[in-house]
Amino acid sequence: MTSQLPDLRTQQVDIDLGDRSYGIVIGAGLLDDASHYAGLPRATTAMVVTNETVAPLYAERLIRVLKAQYPQVHVVTLPDGEAYKTWESLNLIFDALLSHGCDRKTVMFALGGGVVGDMTGFAAASYMRGVPFVQVPTTLLAQVDSSVGGKTAINHPLGKNMIGAFYQPQRVLCDLEVLKTLPERELSAGLAEVIKYGPIADMAFLDWIEAHMHELMARDPAALAHAVRRSCEIKAWVVGQDERESGVRAILNFGHTFGHAIEAGMGYGAWLHGEAVGCGMVMAARLSAALGLVDEAFVARLTQLVQRAGLPTVAPVIDAQDNVGRYLALMRVDKKSEGGEIKFVVIDGRGKASMRGAPDALVARVIETSCQA
Ligand code: NAD
Ligand code: GLY
């Protein structure tokens, strides 16, 4: 397939985790370029995991390139959507692996967005106690965040991403060309995670995103390439210091404590993960201001940027009777909670983030303000 994009040079960001290190390859047209699959573990079988939306768009191309390297290539196609990030879908993957007699050397390929990537990673972590897997992320969100760093999971009705494992892929292949078919709403969702990296780690990147939001929304290839690369560099730097989130990695959850409550409270899939994170970042910035860590001007700046990315900034009412109570209850089951105390990632407006608790009354005020904003 010929590329419609300018001939952007392929770039690589390395994630340094000792014997679990790997490369994140970023470029246009990688999907069916055999050179990017060289050096992966050898095996008799490859198993492609994808979903019913992505399969008709890209599965054939991936299968073709894998067939040159693996004698048997199988595919399992999952139902599409956050609502299907469940035990039932995970079992479909295990059913496929077992019914095809896949052995412990089988290499799995996650072809899709964060939902497919997180589930494939979890299946790879547990099938025969661990088989290698490769991330081939096809959404902006997955390219800038979920495919990198080895967090894998499924949802539980009581909490998001509650069942999972840390398990690193062998390689991440970010083909920028596949972003051409991404629905606009999904592009915006991915931009939420791009914006995230500014306030937590790199104010110059935040300035760059502000200056190039128009190009990003228009899917300008050079702008997307820079956004994916810089996001992956920041994520690789954070994960390289704290793979299993015993400290600094928690900053990558900026906006996620509020965001996960929105996702669970609205029912998985009603708000996209990136939409909930976008609104959640505005709420977390408001909380940071209420704690005296950042000024109101910064909250306004971030709110405007999230809006320009096409993302919601007014929080939804998730319970008509006890909205604040429901938010607090959902946030208490967040993985960052300790002894029932909710922990928030807060920012200082100068590119640094930290984690801390906050009085319920203050959090309640932020929720009330955010639902009316
Ligand atoms: P998604 O996987 O649901 O993909 C979004 C939609 O886009 C889906 O309908 C999908 O079928 C479709 N799609 C994918 N690629 C496409 C393409 N190229 N063209 C057209 N349509 C395409 O959602 P997402 O935003 O990619 O990922 C969200 C998930 O990622 C959440 O479950 C979230 O918890 C998880 N996540 C994980 C991490 C991590 O570190 N593991 C980080 C952030 C988010
Ligand atoms: N997306 C949060 C993390 O990977 O830690």
Side-chain angles (χ1 to χ4, degrees), residues 51 80 82 85 114-115 118 138-139 151 160-161 178 181:
N51 74 21
D80 183 8
E82 186 72 39
K85 197 177 172 186
V115 170
D118 280 13
T138 60
T139 62
K151 277 191 182 175
K160 175 128 173 96
N161 293 334
V178 303
T181 53

Side-chain angles (χ1 to χ4, degrees), residues 158-220:
L158 295 180
K160 175 128 173 96
N161 293 334
M162 280 295 153
I163 326 271
F166 286 99
Y167 194 66
Q168 300 296 340
Q170 300 289 315
R171 190 171 294 170
V172 180
L173 295 175
C174 299
D175 186 347
L176 301 166
E177 208 172 73
V178 303
L179 301 179
K180 283 190 295 184
T181 53
L182 203 59
E184 230 152 78
R185 195 176 158 200
E186 300 292 349
L187 183 79
S188 292
L191 288 173
E193 302 279 16
V194 175
I195 292 170
K196 169 184 85 178
Y197 292 110
I200 64 165
D202 185 353
M203 291 301 275
F205 187 44
L206 188 70
D207 295 341
W208 181 89
I209 299 166
E210 277 175 328
H212 294 85
M213 182 52 78
H214 183 72
E215 287 100 313
L216 289 167
M217 292 290 277
R219 303 177 204 221
D220 173 78

Side-chain angles (χ1 to χ4, degrees), residues 6 62 67 77 109 113 165 191 232 252 276 297 308 329 333 337 355-356 364:
L62 179 59
K67 276 190 171 158
T77 303
F109 290 82
L191 288 173
C232 288
L252 296 172
R308 285 179 62 210
V333 290
S337 292
M355 237 201 359
R356 59 175 287 178

